Amino acid sequence: MICEKRSKGKSDEALFFDLALEDLTRAADLFQPIYDRTDGVDGWVSLEVSPLLAYDPASTLGAAKELHVRAGRPNLFIKIPGTQEGLPAIEEAVFAGVPVNVTLLFSREHYLAAAEAFMRGIERRIDAGLKPDIASVASVFVSRWDSAVVTSCPPSSDLDSALPWPSVPTKRTAVC
């Protein structure tokens, strides 16, 4: 399949997105019953716009819309970076009806800025007479926060005993 697409002149990035969309639309189809059963609360998959567009809000928005249309699945989030440059694309994508998974959130301030962009998109939908039911999630990079506080945490905690499954041993058992 890759060789066939390559022989048709697909660039590396175009080839990647063709393959990613094939995989993720199949995954979205597998999760569709969960999505339906939970009224869209669960059963989602995500596909990220090209990182090459990270500093170009207009191109990020264009790619998000295109991927959303090409996927044609209600349970496929389009990942858009929650960077300063990504915020306008988040607002516009939400306004356009694209479900968004906001990534690259490393602080409370990043999260709040992304939430405000989401809300501006929803408010604009309402003002335009459109339904405000556009799904969004914010993927906060907890591992970065873990690293920032690991030296201030005790070497272990009672968290392991509270988990319903065995935890994986790490340098620090829990982050406080």
Side-chain angles (χ1 to χ4, degrees), residues 1 6 15 24 35 38-39 42 46 52 78 88 97 119 122 125 149 153 165 168 171:
M1 175 169 34
R6 179 63 86 187
L15 177 60
L24 288 168
Y35 175 86
T38 63
D39 292 323
D42 208 349
S46 295
L52 300 175
I78 302 299
M119 288 306 298
I122 292 296
R125 287 185 65 79
V149 299
C153 291
W165 61 86
V168 177
K171 284 188 206 173

Side-chain angles (χ1 to χ4, degrees), residues 141-156:
F141 284 91
V142 176
S143 65
R144 307 298 164 128
W145 293 3
D146 289 355
S147 298
V149 299
V150 71
T151 58
S152 63
C153 291
S156 66

